[in-house]
Structures are given as C-alpha cells and as structure tokens.
Amino acid sequence: MERTYTLVISCPDRVGIVAKVSNFLAMYGGWITEANHHSDRDANWFFMRHEIRADSIPLGLDELRTAFAPIAREFEMDWYISDSEKKKRVVLMASKESHCLVDLLHRWHSGELDCEIPCVISNHEDFRELVEWHGIPYHYVPVDKNNKQPSFDKVEEIVEQAGADCVVLARYMQILPPNLCEKYVGRVINIHHSFLPSFAGAKPYHQAYERGVKLIGATCHYVTAELDAGPIIDQDIHRVSHRHISEDMVRLGKDVEKTVLARGLRWHLEDRVLVHGNKTVVFN
Amino acid sequence: MERTYTLVISCPDRVGIVAKVSNFLAMYGGWITEANHHSDRDANWFFMRHEIRADSIPLGLDELRTAFAPIAREFEMDWYISDSEKKKRVVLMASKESHCLVDLLHRWHSGELDCEIPCVISNHEDFRELVEWHGIPYHYVPVDKNNKQPSFDKVEEIVEQAGADCVVLARYMQILPPNLCEKYVGRVINIHHSFLPSFAGAKPYHQAYERGVKLIGATCHYVTAELDAGPIIDQDIHRVSHRHISEDMVRLGKDVEKTVLARGLRWHLEDRVLVHGNKTVVFN
Amino acid sequence: MERTYTLVISCPDRVGIVAKVSNFLAMYGGWITEANHHSDRDANWFFMRHEIRADSIPLGLDELRTAFAPIAREFEMDWYISDSEKKKRVVLMASKESHCLVDLLHRWHSGELDCEIPCVISNHEDFRELVEWHGIPYHYVPVDKNNKQPSFDKVEEIVEQAGADCVVLARYMQILPPNLCEKYVGRVINIHHSFLPSFAGAKPYHQAYERGVKLIGATCHYVTAELDAGPIIDQDIHRVSHRHISEDMVRLGKDVEKTVLARGLRWHLEDRVLVHGNKTVVFN
Amino acid sequence: MERTYTLVISCPDRVGIVAKVSNFLAMYGGWITEANHHSDRDANWFFMRHEIRADSIPLGLDELRTAFAPIAREFEMDWYISDSEKKKRVVLMASKESHCLVDLLHRWHSGELDCEIPCVISNHEDFRELVEWHGIPYHYVPVDKNNKQPSFDKVEEIVEQAGADCVVLARYMQILPPNLCEKYVGRVINIHHSFLPSFAGAKPYHQAYERGVKLIGATCHYVTAELDAGPIIDQDIHRVSHRHISEDMVRLGKDVEKTVLARGLRWHLEDRVLVHGNKTVVFN
C-alpha cells in the first residue's frame, strides 16, 4: 500500500477555500487520490478531506505542516495531517460479550483493520486467553459497583501508557465517568445495541421486544458525558417479527453490532469522520 | 381469483388447538391454501390464520360460522371468518401531502389493493379533483384548531355512513380525538414519518436531522389514544448522510412512507394482522 | 430555489485539474454549493461536478462557457455547464404497466421531479386519460411486430419535435432499434425488472421464480444497442421467500422498479451521472 | 434449552394432511412449540415442520418414529424426526480466506451455533493454529491441480470417519468432484461470493466490478454437480458505488458472505430448509 498523507479540515464556510487548498497542493505537485468536501449551510461550516500520495510531494510531513499553517490560520481552520505510515493505536475494552471483540481482533489479525492494538482492557477475565493468543496484552480491571473511580483511574493509566489514539468500547458494559468522556472527546467509540435515539440505556433489545418494533438496530457513536447521546457515526438495522423473542433479537443484533462497529472504527481510523457539534460528517 | 374464507383466531394457548381446528376443516374437506400459527410463550397466547377455498366446503358462510362456534367457545377464542367476496370498505383521510394518497389510489385503481374506497376525507380542498377523477366522493371537512370537535363529529358521521371497515390516515395531519380512537380501535391505520419510537409527534424529520441519525424511517401502526404509541404493523428505513438536510429527508422519507403504509394496509385487508396487547402478529 | 450552474467534467487524470478548476471558479467569486471528484485509477480518468450559485458569478452562462473553454481544451475535457433555470425535457414511454408512469407523473406533478414532460408515448391507448388529466399530450404509436421500423420512425419524430433531452422507458415493453440507441446514447433511461446481469431479457420475475432466488431486484440503466447491458445507474432489491409465486414477485417488484427508476432519473436530471465506458460515476 | 423433536415432512399435496398430523400429535399430548406449512401449488407439493417438546410426549424417539410411519406411508411422505439432543456433526472446509471460518468457529465457540465440529479440512496449512486453539482437529489435504482425485478421496475418507451430517465449504476454493456432490446431496453447503445467478464461477467481485453493478451480494446454497447452480438457501447484498474498486468489493463482500453463510447453516441445523427440485422452502 502506498504511503499517503491525509489532510482534514473544518472551518467557517466562505468563498475560496477549495481554490486555496487545491492551489497549495498543486503547487507542490501533490497527487490527490481522494478528495471530499461538504458545506453545512445551516451551520455555515465547511469540511474537507484530501488523501495525497506522500511520494508526490517534495516535503516531509513536518515541512508540509509548516507550509500549510498560514493557510489554516487565514481560514481559521481546525485541521491536521495524518500519515498512513503512522498507524493509530486503538485500545479495545470489553465485558462478557465476545462478538464485537472477536470480530475486531480478526479484522486486525487478517490485515483488514490498519491499526495497532496495544492492549485490551476488560472488567472480566473471560477473554484473556483469546486476546493473548493474538499476541496482545490483556488488562483485567474489575469494577466495584460501589467504588468505580479507582477502576477508571486504572483504565486511564493504561490508556495513557498505551499511547492510545482511540478507545473502542466493544460492548464494554460500564459507563465511563464524565472526566474520561471529556478528556478523550472524539476518541472513544461505542457500539450501542439499539437504533438510537430509541432505546438508549440498559437492555435495549428487551425494550424493543416490549414495544413490538419490526426492525432492530445498532448505533456506533462517539462517547460523550450524556449516555448514548454522542455524535452518531453509523447505524444499521435487521428485520424482526412476532416470532422473535428478545433472546432472538439479542442474537440477530450481534451481527448488526459487529458490522456497524467495525465500519465506524474503520472510517475513524481513515480520518473520514469529522465531528461538528453533535453530528458527524462521514466522508466514506 | 378464487373465492376464499379466512379463519382468524386468537386464544389462550393450550394443547390441541391445531388438531381441533384442522380436524374441523378436514371433516368438511376444506382445502387450505395457506395456514399460519404463532404461539406467544410470554403471553401464553395462540394465534392462527387459515385461508380455505370456499368451493371446497359444502357450507355457506353463515353455516360455517355456526358450525365453528362451539369450538370457538371451548377454546375461548377471539375469532372471525372473512369472505374474499365481501371487500372491505376503506375510508382514506389526507391533508396536504399527496404521496401516500396518490400511491393508495393507484394501487386500488390498478387492482393491486383489493378493497372498496367509499370516500376520501380531507381537511383541505387540494385533492378533490384528483380523488374525483378516480370516481371517489371527496369530503372536505376543515378543522378549526380552536374548536375541533364539530369536525370530528362530521368525520365520524361520514365514516359511519360509508360503512367503513377501516380508516387510513394517509398523512392526515390531525390527531384523532380519544373517543374515535377507542370506537375504531384496531381499525384506524396511520403512517408516522419516523422510525418509532424515535421521533414521535411533530416534525420527525427535523428531529432526525437535529439528532444526526444515519437512517430515517417510517412506521405503519394502529391508532390508539396515546399519540404514535399504538401497535406497530410494519416499519422500514432509508439511509441518509450528512449531505441530506431535513428537506431531503422529507423527500426520501416519502418513498418509505408510501411503501410501508401500502404494505401494512394490504396485510390488514388480508386479515394477516392480529393485535394482542400493544403488539401485532403479522402472518405475511 | 436559487439558480445554479452545474459544471460537469470528465478527462484523463493528471495533477492540477482540481487546482485549475477551483482557481477558475474562485477567481470569479463562484460560490460552490456542492463539489464532487472521482479519480478512476484503473481507467486513469477523472470526473468532477460543481454546483455554483449563479448569482455569485458576474458572467452570463455563455460568457462562463467561453471563459472556461481554454481550460477544457488544455485538459482534454468532456464537459458541459447546465443551468437550473433551463429545465430538461423528458419524454416518457410506457406500455401496459402503469406503476412507473403514475409514479413519475406524480413526482413531476407534485414538484419533486424538476423537469418538463413534453409528452408521453405509448404503444397502447390505456393511459391516455390519465396522462391527459395531467395536461400532457399523449401519443399512441402502436407497434406492428412484423414491421416495427415505421413505429420507431414515428417515435423518433415525436422525440425530436418534443426537443427531448432525455427519454425514459417507464416499462415500455418494446426494444428500441439500434439506430435510436446510438442516436440517443446516454439519454435513454430504462428500468429493467431484475437485478442485472441476472435475468436479462423477457419475463425476469418468472426466471427468478424458477431459479429460486431469495431476493428480487430492479435495475435502472442507460439503453445501449445490446439488450439490458448498458451502464447501470442504480439497483435495489426486495426479499422474497418460497411463499412468493411469480405473481407476488411481479407485485413486490413494482415498488422497487418505480423507486429505482425515479431515483435514477432524478440523478440524471441533476447531472449527477457521468458515463465512462460501460460504467457510471454517480455523484449523489 | 428444552429438548425438542422436529418432524419434517414433504409429500404430494392433498386435503387432510394437516389434520392427520395434528391429530397424531394431539393424541399423544404433543406440545407444539412451532409449526410451519407450505403448499407449493405449481409443484402440487406440501411441506411441513413441527417442533414438539420431547417431554410432552410419552414415547421415545424410536417409538415415535414407529408410531408415525403408517401415516407417512399413507401420504407418501419424505420425512424424518430429529432430536435436539443429538447435535449435528459439521465438517468445515476452508482454503486461504479466513473470515467465514473464523466467524463460524466463533459462533460455535460462543454457543450460538448448536452443532459439533469434528474437524476442519483445508488445502492449506494457514489456519491450523487457529483451528487447533479451538480444540478442533485440523486436516491438511493439499490438492494437486493435475491430479485432484486422490485429495478428494482423502476428503471423503475424513468426512466419513467424522460421521458428518453436513459439510460446509467456508470459502473452500476447490470444486468438489461430481461423485461427492451426488453422495452428499443436500448436505454440502457453499457460500458463493456473488448474488447468484449473476457472476457464477471464478472471481465474481472482479466480474461485478467490470459490469459496474451498484450492489454486490453473496449466496448460500446446496452444492450440486453443476457449479454454483444448486438450491439457494439465502442471499444478501451490500451497496457499492463507483468509489469501490474490486478490492473494496472483496472486503465489503466478506461481511455479507459470513453473515449469509452463518444464517443458512443455522437454518440447516435447525431442520428449517426443505429442498424440492432445485428450490428450497425455508421455514424461518
């Protein structure tokens, strides 16, 4: 796979942004392999993502950043340039449901998910053997329901030591404390087992069964301090009928959950997800 | 199309129901063209639907009912037998959105929807010409927002005179008063333009846009006194992205709405929808 | 709706196209409301579409074209600029199935489809009343199966007189002769009632039923001289089961057909579909 | 999970089958937990499946079979009764793509797939470690492309020794010889990575890319001597666009393949799939 730089920008919308950025890239002979724009007219905000072949540009990454900085200032951009050779570090967290964890580990192991997984954290010992078989360290951090803070302090310490760019709650059944939600804003991805905003909170499939819905779903979103209310990255559904009891919904939902989570994580890793307010732009 | 009787049953679950009913039908040589059962183990309730070729049974409809009544009593059944030759009478109600109304009229006109449409009621004059072109009477019943009861009294009168088996709210933007909801329980079908229970109430697409969901939906359900909370017949969704503003969602949603409503109504007309509590069994 | 110009480009891929075009637009203060690029690396071909607010540019449409022409020449572009105020003229053709025709007429009548429909052509008289109710001329051009050419000469004459930008075969069950396919290449849209390339040709639902597939579909594509083999614009599917006979598939398929055709036509009218070889780029 | 017997029947259609079978079950007090019928009117064939609580019947399995045999003879039934306590034995075969294999192993390991996996057979060594970690024997049977028969003799021997009820080709990239297809008819399940009948044979995603389809799919089917032409159990699709090259289709298709294969296998294991001619009845 060829090395690419990815330039991601969001800023107040105005005329001339595309021209300025395109000129900048063209001036250095940048070979753009993918480009996406979006103008949110309600928010008057502009979003842009370029993938550029690294070997087409006669600048190193730091030089490129330095060269671009004046343009970014002029347009008051939130921006960054990522390098495909610097893989993102993703910490996985799980509890007692294995389907999302196994799915992500397999995608990583088979080369489909382009990241590093420095460790897995769980509040149970169940998956140690599985995780370690993949050559990944396993941290068992039990959570005392009457005194959770020490556990989350431990989690924070592990995440910091792992140099994590991103934390994935792969059916981790604990609610992160607000301080961690805020510290890692835009970097913690959760899979919720319902079609949000329906059935936030506990036991969504049982809620869905009680309501008699004909479709169940799953939602991949960034975690915020408000439970199951963060920016949505992706959602999908599966049809159910009166023949399905809540246990069937749990089973059928697993396939939706793991697919949606993997998709959302992949887009995050490829810098395709831009958050603005409580919504996402996904350049996929 | 051959004439059929449809026997629809729901009752407390116990051993021997199927045998008893099957024997009854076999005894008269009944040719079953479709049979469905469902046992709801949580509710301990049993549901059953049989379609039988009318010409295979040496009894008239009334005789058949009389012959079956003792079995129904024995098993404490809610039951009825419908006759494909007696078409159901469906009153359509609409406001200012035409997509569901046009879609249903066309399905009826082309013979896909097997029912009679004695009239259309609307709180606007907009669709008179369209409806009358189909040879269907059009009743304009404006609703004074400060005094709605006289209008709904008028609606009730029209529905009664039409001998309606069923009322379809084809994007009728008024909330029926509780007395009508109760009088016509299980006989008023609504299409709500969201994936319920998300975004009940007004302007669901705008709510969906604000929340940043990645799928929008529509829900066909029986109307109850509690707004948008009745038993769900069918639901479906359409994918959206950051590129879609709420106007786009409105447009994309129309196709989902009309398809889901037509599907739900068809199942209702074919006696495939059995309500129990706030849920439906749909033998489709 | 504000007036927009849409600049559509395809050309051999090389560095600097985006910069050149963006600069050109920025130079005149062009307010880009939507921009899309695609680089087909196998074909080494580049595709681009810009929507620009007409009132943001101090040039008339002809002046804009003149100003852009040198850039187009430099990059060997296939290109055009369309004007949202000049509505495309769409001739509809139908036979004896009404669902696609009614659906398109309703979308046009309700303002969803932004085009003119100068006339409808059919080889049957069935839909005259319906079409004329919409205020649209109806041309009955019967096709003699032993001598079709005179009919297609007549069709060609009507299409020419109508000044058609586009012809839609809304379940028109005749095969256009090769000379018309070639004359109107990229301008005739067909809906085929199968998930192509499966079940090309006649009676696709019966073929699908015989094969025992579990999903049926429809395909919207540009017509070419080779039957059902032209560039695909869109496809969709509906689930079926052993309970569905071919008549059910026909019925269920209608909803897919009309939705897919309307979607494909909409994208075509918005200049979102770019053909290259036998494939399409759809900027939706 | 309670023990159940599953009675599966197919036979020429005539009046009285349901009554006879229902009576038989009711006579012994059989508690039916699920019942499905289907009458194929084109083929004049009847299909039926009953799940019965084993503890509700005062007969052992053999006695039950003996008691039912006269009814089966009377109606010329193909029939069997399976026992949920006797788990089916499933041999998995794989080549170099791991996604289906890993997915099935995980579903088995987590208890979702209710079967035994006596062994895995592969023409490559790649997955030995993975399979053996699950405690399952791994048989490496390389295939010499110039002399395949000895390999398939070996495969047959292993399948026989494993006492396999069913063989799953989990992206096993070899074509089984006709004698094995015939010997194990209705017992070998394959996942083909296209939406059959489109793109049978080799490299379907590349074929799909070349044709420019907008949906890719996967098909789970029983293997017959004619390649990719056996009875279809299930199919599903995923949307693609011009942005997806064939490598993307391969990746996106994997999720469809593994989901469809797992679903088809589950239905097979639960005796929900009845084959008639080249089509299936799936009581799901």
Side-chain angles (χ1 to χ4, degrees):
Chain A
M1 212 165 61
E2 77 203 1
R3 184 179 185 178
T4 55
Y5 298 140
T6 302
L7 169 61
V8 179
I9 293 166
S10 69
C11 62
D13 200 2
R14 59 189 242 213
V15 169
I17 304 172
V18 175
K20 185 70 97 171
V21 175
S22 301
N23 265 346
F24 172 81
L25 293 173
M27 188 172 61
Y28 292 109
W31 182 323
I32 298 166
T33 57
E34 186 178 335
N36 298 92
H37 314 166
H38 175 62
S39 172
D40 181 332
R41 299 176 76 172
D42 285 354
N44 196 35
W45 215 258
F46 186 76
F47 305 86
M48 191 184 228
R49 178 186 182 276
H50 284 89
E51 262 183 48
I52 309 126
R53 285 181 56 162
D55 63 6
S56 69
I57 289 193
L59 299 177
L61 186 57
D62 285 342
E63 294 168 306
L64 184 61
R65 286 171 176 148
T66 303
F68 188 71
I71 295 174
R73 272 194 300 274
E74 180 188 347
F75 287 87
E76 301 173 80
M77 293 173 173
D78 275 337
W79 68 290
Y80 64 88
I81 303 173
S82 65
D83 178 352
S84 65
E85 291 214 337
K86 190 175 175 307
K87 295 191 179 187
K88 290 197 178 59
R89 299 173 65 79
V90 180
V91 169
L92 305 181
M93 298 185 70
S95 287
K96 296 187 76 116
E97 290 283 358
S98 60
H99 54 289
C100 287
L101 180 65
V102 166
D103 187 73
L104 292 178
L105 289 175
H106 173 253
R107 288 177 202 268
W108 170 80
H109 190 250
S110 66
E112 183 187 313
L113 263 188
D114 190 33
C115 64
E116 291 179 13
I117 302 182
C119 65
V120 171
I121 304 173
S122 177
N123 55 334
H124 296 280
E125 277 285 15
D126 304 45
F127 304 135
R128 177 179 294 282
E129 195 189 2
L130 169 78
V131 170
E132 291 181 349
W133 183 84
H134 286 86
I136 297 172
Y138 190 82
H139 298 285
Y140 168 50
V141 184
V143 177
D144 176 350
K145 67 179 176 179
N146 298 312
N147 183 20
K148 298 187 169 185
Q149 196 53 49
S151 301
F152 289 117
D153 291 346
K154 182 68 185 164
V155 165
E156 184 177 357
E157 184 190 322
I158 295 169
V159 169
E160 290 298 312
Q161 285 181 348
D165 295 292
C166 171
V167 176
V168 172
L169 307 185
R171 297 296 309 275
Y172 179 69
M173 301 305 284
Q174 299 289 325
I175 299 171
L176 292 194
N179 70 307
L180 285 190
C181 295
E182 279 151 33
K183 180 171 183 180
Y184 299 126
V185 67
R187 291 164 56 195
V188 182
I189 294 175
N190 184 44
I191 182 73
H192 183 72
H193 39 317
S194 87
F195 184 76
L196 289 174
S198 291
F199 313 131
K203 290 192 170 287
Y205 291 122
H206 293 79
Q207 294 182 57
Y209 175 72
E210 288 305 319
R211 180 60 187 93
V213 293
K214 301 299 185 184
L215 303 171
I216 55 168
T219 304
C220 177
H221 65 97
Y222 289 110
V223 169
T224 56
E226 187 183 347
L227 184 64
D228 298 330
I232 294 172
I233 304 172
D234 196 28
Q235 307 187 283
D236 217 334
I237 54 93
H238 194 281
R239 192 161 284 277
V240 292
S241 79
H242 58 269
R243 292 186 305 271
H244 297 101
I245 57 173
S246 53
E247 283 74 11
D248 296 315
M249 292 182 178
V250 167
R251 174 174 53 80
L252 293 168
K254 284 178 181 175
D255 284 349
V256 185
E257 294 164 34
K258 69 188 189 191
T259 308
V260 171
L261 177 57
R263 211 153 57 193
L265 176 56
R266 180 183 181 87
W267 293 337
H268 176 88
L269 294 177
E270 295 180 346
D271 300 300
R272 294 182 180 281
V273 190
L274 288 72
V275 177
H276 188 71
N278 203 44
K279 298 165 73 168
T280 62
V281 168
V282 182
F283 287 131
N284 64 320
Chain B
M1 212 165 63
E2 76 204 1
R3 184 180 185 178
T4 55
Y5 297 141
T6 301
L7 170 60
V8 179
I9 294 166
S10 70
C11 63
D13 199 4
R14 58 189 243 208
V15 169
I17 304 171
V18 176
K20 185 70 95 172
V21 175
S22 303
N23 264 346
F24 172 82
L25 293 173
M27 188 171 62
Y28 291 109
W31 182 323
I32 298 166
T33 57
E34 187 179 335
N36 296 94
H37 314 167
H38 175 63
S39 174
D40 182 332
R41 300 177 74 172
D42 285 354
N44 195 35
W45 215 258
F46 186 76
F47 305 86
M48 192 182 227
R49 178 186 181 278
H50 284 89
E51 260 182 48
I52 308 126
R53 285 180 56 162
D55 63 8
S56 69
I57 289 193
L59 299 177
L61 186 57
D62 285 342
E63 294 168 306
L64 183 62
R65 285 171 177 148
T66 304
F68 189 70
I71 294 175
R73 273 194 299 275
E74 180 187 347
F75 288 86
E76 302 172 83
M77 293 173 174
D78 275 337
W79 68 289
Y80 64 89
I81 303 174
S82 64
D83 178 353
S84 65
E85 291 214 336
K86 189 177 174 308
K87 295 192 181 189
K88 291 195 176 60
R89 297 174 67 77
V90 180
V91 169
L92 305 182
M93 298 183 72
S95 288
K96 296 187 74 115
E97 291 282 359
S98 59
H99 54 288
C100 287
L101 180 64
V102 166
D103 186 72
L104 292 178
L105 290 175
H106 173 252
R107 289 177 201 268
W108 169 81
H109 191 249
S110 65
E112 182 189 313
L113 263 187
D114 189 33
C115 64
E116 289 179 14
I117 302 182
C119 64
V120 171
I121 304 172
S122 177
N123 55 335
H124 296 281
E125 278 284 17
D126 304 45
F127 305 134
R128 177 178 295 281
E129 196 190 2
L130 169 78
V131 169
E132 292 181 348
W133 183 84
H134 286 86
I136 298 172
Y138 189 83
H139 298 285
Y140 168 49
V141 184
V143 178
D144 176 349
K145 67 180 178 178
N146 298 311
N147 183 22
K148 298 187 170 185
Q149 197 52 49
S151 301
F152 290 116
D153 291 344
K154 181 68 185 164
V155 165
E156 183 177 356
E157 184 190 321
I158 296 168
V159 169
E160 289 298 310
Q161 286 180 348
D165 296 290
C166 172
V167 176
V168 173
L169 308 184
R171 298 296 309 275
Y172 180 68
M173 301 306 283
Q174 298 290 325
I175 298 171
L176 292 194
N179 71 308
L180 285 190
C181 294
E182 278 151 33
K183 179 170 182 179
Y184 298 126
V185 67
R187 293 164 55 196
V188 182
I189 295 176
N190 184 43
I191 182 73
H192 183 73
H193 39 317
S194 86
F195 184 76
L196 289 174
S198 291
F199 312 130
K203 289 192 169 287
Y205 292 122
H206 292 79
Q207 294 182 57
Y209 174 72
E210 287 305 320
R211 179 61 186 93
V213 294
K214 301 299 185 182
L215 303 171
I216 56 168
T219 303
C220 177
H221 66 98
Y222 289 111
V223 168
T224 57
E226 186 183 348
L227 183 65
D228 297 331
I232 294 172
I233 304 172
D234 196 29
Q235 307 185 284
D236 216 334
I237 54 93
H238 194 282
R239 192 161 283 276
V240 291
S241 79
H242 58 270
R243 291 185 305 270
H244 297 101
I245 58 175
S246 52
E247 283 74 11
D248 296 316
M249 294 182 179
V250 168
R251 175 174 52 79
L252 293 168
K254 284 177 181 175
D255 284 349
V256 184
E257 293 164 34
K258 69 188 189 190
T259 309
V260 170
L261 176 57
R263 211 153 57 194
L265 175 57
R266 181 183 181 88
W267 294 338
H268 177 88
L269 294 176
E270 296 180 345
D271 300 299
R272 296 180 180 281
V273 190
L274 289 71
V275 176
H276 188 72
N278 204 43
K279 297 165 73 168
T280 62
V281 168
V282 181
F283 286 133
N284 64 321
Chain C
M1 215 165 60
E2 76 203 3
R3 182 179 187 179
T4 54
Y5 297 141
T6 301
L7 170 61
V8 179
I9 293 167
S10 70
C11 62
D13 200 3
R14 59 189 242 211
V15 170
I17 304 171
V18 176
K20 185 71 93 170
V21 175
S22 303
N23 264 347
F24 172 82
L25 294 172
M27 190 170 60
Y28 291 108
W31 182 323
I32 298 167
T33 58
E34 187 178 336
N36 296 93
H37 314 167
H38 174 63
S39 173
D40 181 332
R41 299 177 76 172
D42 285 354
N44 196 36
W45 215 258
F46 185 75
F47 304 87
M48 191 183 228
R49 177 187 183 277
H50 283 88
E51 261 183 48
I52 309 126
R53 286 180 57 163
D55 64 6
S56 70
I57 289 194
L59 301 176
L61 185 57
D62 286 340
E63 293 168 308
L64 184 60
R65 285 171 176 149
T66 304
F68 188 70
I71 295 175
R73 273 194 300 275
E74 179 187 348
F75 289 86
E76 300 172 83
M77 293 172 173
D78 274 336
W79 68 290
Y80 64 88
I81 303 173
S82 65
D83 177 352
S84 65
E85 291 214 336
K86 188 176 176 307
K87 295 193 181 188
K88 290 196 178 60
R89 297 173 67 78
V90 180
V91 169
L92 305 182
M93 297 184 72
S95 287
K96 296 187 75 117
E97 290 284 359
S98 60
H99 54 288
C100 287
L101 180 64
V102 167
D103 187 73
L104 292 178
L105 289 175
H106 173 253
R107 289 178 201 267
W108 170 81
H109 191 248
S110 66
E112 183 188 312
L113 263 188
D114 189 32
C115 63
E116 290 179 14
I117 301 183
C119 64
V120 171
I121 304 172
S122 178
N123 54 334
H124 297 280
E125 277 285 15
D126 304 46
F127 305 135
R128 176 178 296 279
E129 195 189 3
L130 169 78
V131 169
E132 291 181 349
W133 183 84
H134 285 86
I136 297 173
Y138 189 83
H139 298 286
Y140 167 50
V141 183
V143 178
D144 176 349
K145 67 179 176 178
N146 298 312
N147 184 21
K148 299 188 169 185
Q149 196 53 47
S151 301
F152 290 117
D153 290 345
K154 181 71 185 163
V155 165
E156 183 177 357
E157 183 190 322
I158 296 169
V159 169
E160 289 299 310
Q161 285 181 349
D165 296 291
C166 171
V167 176
V168 172
L169 308 185
R171 297 297 309 274
Y172 179 68
M173 300 306 282
Q174 299 290 325
I175 298 171
L176 291 194
N179 71 307
L180 286 190
C181 294
E182 277 151 35
K183 179 170 182 179
Y184 298 126
V185 66
R187 293 163 56 196
V188 182
I189 295 176
N190 184 45
I191 182 72
H192 183 72
H193 38 317
S194 87
F195 184 75
L196 289 175
S198 291
F199 313 132
K203 291 193 168 286
Y205 291 122
H206 293 80
Q207 294 182 57
Y209 175 72
E210 289 304 319
R211 180 60 187 94
V213 294
K214 300 300 185 182
L215 304 170
I216 55 168
T219 303
C220 178
H221 65 98
Y222 289 111
V223 169
T224 56
E226 187 183 349
L227 183 65
D228 296 330
I232 295 172
I233 304 173
D234 196 29
Q235 307 185 283
D236 216 336
I237 54 94
H238 195 281
R239 191 161 286 275
V240 292
S241 79
H242 58 270
R243 292 186 306 271
H244 297 101
I245 58 173
S246 52
E247 284 74 11
D248 296 315
M249 293 182 178
V250 168
R251 176 175 52 80
L252 292 168
K254 285 178 181 174
D255 285 350
V256 184
E257 293 163 35
K258 71 189 188 191
T259 310
V260 170
L261 176 57
R263 210 153 59 194
L265 176 57
R266 180 183 181 88
W267 293 337
H268 177 89
L269 293 177
E270 295 179 347
D271 300 300
R272 295 182 180 280
V273 190
L274 289 71
V275 176
H276 189 72
N278 203 43
K279 298 165 72 169
T280 62
V281 167
V282 182
F283 287 131
N284 64 322
Chain D
M1 213 165 60
E2 77 203 3
R3 182 180 185 178
T4 55
Y5 297 140
T6 301
L7 170 61
V8 179
I9 293 167
S10 69
C11 62
D13 200 3
R14 57 189 242 210
V15 169
I17 305 171
V18 176
K20 186 69 94 170
V21 175
S22 302
N23 264 347
F24 172 82
L25 293 173
M27 189 171 62
Y28 292 108
W31 182 323
I32 297 166
T33 56
E34 186 178 336
N36 296 93
H37 314 167
H38 174 63
S39 174
D40 181 332
R41 300 178 74 172
D42 284 353
N44 196 35
W45 216 258
F46 186 75
F47 305 86
M48 191 183 228
R49 178 186 181 277
H50 283 90
E51 261 183 48
I52 309 126
R53 285 181 55 163
D55 64 7
S56 71
I57 289 193
L59 299 176
L61 186 57
D62 287 341
E63 295 169 305
L64 183 61
R65 286 172 175 148
T66 304
F68 188 71
I71 295 175
R73 273 194 299 276
E74 180 187 348
F75 288 85
E76 301 173 83
M77 292 172 173
D78 275 336
W79 68 289
Y80 64 88
I81 303 173
S82 65
D83 178 352
S84 67
E85 290 214 336
K86 188 174 175 311
K87 295 191 180 188
K88 289 197 177 61
R89 297 173 67 78
V90 179
V91 170
L92 305 181
M93 297 183 72
S95 288
K96 297 187 73 116
E97 289 283 359
S98 60
H99 55 288
C100 287
L101 180 65
V102 166
D103 187 73
L104 292 178
L105 289 175
H106 174 253
R107 288 179 201 267
W108 169 80
H109 191 249
S110 66
E112 183 188 311
L113 263 188
D114 191 33
C115 64
E116 290 179 15
I117 301 181
C119 64
V120 172
I121 303 173
S122 178
N123 56 334
H124 296 280
E125 277 285 16
D126 304 45
F127 304 134
R128 176 178 295 282
E129 195 189 3
L130 169 79
V131 170
E132 290 181 349
W133 182 84
H134 286 87
I136 297 173
Y138 189 83
H139 298 286
Y140 168 49
V141 183
V143 178
D144 176 349
K145 67 179 176 178
N146 299 311
N147 184 20
K148 297 187 170 185
Q149 197 52 49
S151 301
F152 289 117
D153 291 344
K154 182 69 185 164
V155 165
E156 184 178 356
E157 184 190 320
I158 296 169
V159 168
E160 289 299 309
Q161 284 181 349
D165 295 291
C166 172
V167 176
V168 173
L169 307 185
R171 295 298 310 276
Y172 179 68
M173 301 305 284
Q174 298 290 325
I175 298 172
L176 291 195
N179 70 307
L180 285 191
C181 293
E182 279 152 33
K183 179 171 182 178
Y184 298 126
V185 67
R187 293 164 57 197
V188 182
I189 294 174
N190 184 44
I191 182 73
H192 183 73
H193 39 317
S194 86
F195 184 76
L196 289 174
S198 291
F199 313 131
K203 290 193 167 288
Y205 291 122
H206 293 78
Q207 294 182 56
Y209 174 72
E210 288 304 320
R211 180 61 187 93
V213 294
K214 301 300 187 184
L215 303 171
I216 54 168
T219 303
C220 177
H221 65 97
Y222 288 111
V223 169
T224 55
E226 188 183 348
L227 183 65
D228 297 330
I232 294 172
I233 304 172
D234 196 28
Q235 306 186 283
D236 216 335
I237 54 92
H238 194 281
R239 193 161 282 277
V240 291
S241 78
H242 59 270
R243 291 187 305 271
H244 296 101
I245 57 173
S246 52
E247 285 73 13
D248 296 315
M249 293 182 178
V250 168
R251 174 174 54 78
L252 293 167
K254 285 178 181 175
D255 284 350
V256 184
E257 294 165 33
K258 70 189 191 191
T259 308
V260 171
L261 176 58
R263 210 152 59 193
L265 176 57
R266 181 183 181 88
W267 293 337
H268 176 88
L269 294 177
E270 295 179 346
D271 300 300
R272 294 181 181 281
V273 189
L274 288 72
V275 176
H276 188 71
N278 203 44
K279 297 165 73 168
T280 63
V281 168
V282 182
F283 287 133
N284 62 321

